[in-house]
Amino acid sequence: RFTPSDVMISPEQLRVDITGELMSYVADKKISQARETYRFQFHNQSGRLLIKDFSLVKSDRNPKEDFES
């Protein structure tokens, strides 16, 4: 389950970053929790916004790993 806590909108780049807590469960028992940031990259096609890319940008599970490309 992902519970968002912050949304950063970048209209010029057609991008939205959503940060929150990702909780993993097995048989109603929480087995892990991590703060993660996901990015939606959009594409404007004839006035319609379409999702171009969805990616993990940051996670406290692997804080040294660079997810940005």
Side-chain angles (χ1 to χ4, degrees):
R1 180 174 83 172
F2 183 76
T3 304
S5 60
D6 186 42
V7 176
M8 186 121 178
I9 301 169
S10 302
E12 297 81 24
Q13 290 86 19
L14 297 177
R15 185 173 69 205
V16 175
D17 290 349
I18 302 174
T19 301
E21 297 293 323
L22 178 66
M23 294 163 272
S24 300
Y25 292 85
V26 172
D28 294 333
K29 181 181 178 186
K30 183 165 54 171
I31 59 168
S32 70
Q33 182 171 345
R35 184 165 185 80
E36 297 190 337
T37 301
Y38 292 95
R39 175 169 291 159
F40 287 89
Q41 183 70 50
F42 295 92
H43 171 71
N44 186 339
Q45 182 178 2
S46 302
R48 299 180 347 188
L49 282 182
L50 305 174
I51 298 173
K52 178 181 177 182
D53 188 48
F54 173 76
S55 59
L56 176 63
V57 178
K58 185 177 179 183
S59 175
D60 64 3
R61 289 182 202 209
N62 301 312
K64 294 183 181 178
E65 189 170 339
D66 183 15
F67 295 100
E68 298 262 5
S69 49

